[in-house]
Amino acid sequence: SSGINAEYGVVLLLLESALSLTSEELAAFKPRDPDYTCINTGLKSNVYAEDLGDGRQLIYTNGIPSHDTWTFPNGNGNPNYVEEVENTLYIPANPEFREEGPLYCLPMG
């Protein structure tokens, strides 16, 4: 879903700059239209981010779009369904690059 890609894009930007998200950026994680109901699932989008206060920030999405989509599956050859897929990312609130290791990655879980 495009919502999931957006969250991962933010995570990649975070990793590149090694800065935590500001409170304004955390507050921006919300559905475009909180009243929109997905035509494929009958569900509403759930996206949010918060600082957990324990050195971690959380980004959550249920993967349901908050905007119009095609109907899936459809007769145009797309057999896939839009389904709720929960994703929770935990990001260090004060990231530090590791001195060694694969790609000098930040710890994340």
Side-chain angles (χ1 to χ4, degrees), residues 69-88:
T69 65
W70 287 85
T71 302
F72 294 101
N74 62 41
N76 294 329
N78 189 332
N80 300 305
Y81 290 86
V82 173
E83 297 178 333
E84 184 174 37
V85 178
E86 294 184 356
N87 286 288
T88 304

Side-chain angles (χ1 to χ4, degrees), residues 7-16 55-59 88-93 95-96 98 105-109:
E7 280 87 55
Y8 283 115
V10 169
V11 171
L12 291 176
L13 286 173
L14 176 67
L15 292 175
E16 288 176 9
R56 298 178 302 158
Q57 294 179 331
L58 174 145
I59 300 173
T88 304
L89 301 171
Y90 295 93
I91 302 167
E96 297 177 11
R98 294 189 309 190
C105 295
L106 294 172
M108 220 172 111

Side-chain angles (χ1 to χ4, degrees), residues 21 25-27 29-30 47-51 58-60:
L21 296 170
E25 291 167 330
L26 290 169
F29 278 85
K30 57 187 175 188
V47 177
Y48 64 88
E50 63 183 296
D51 191 307
L58 174 145
I59 300 173
Y60 171 84

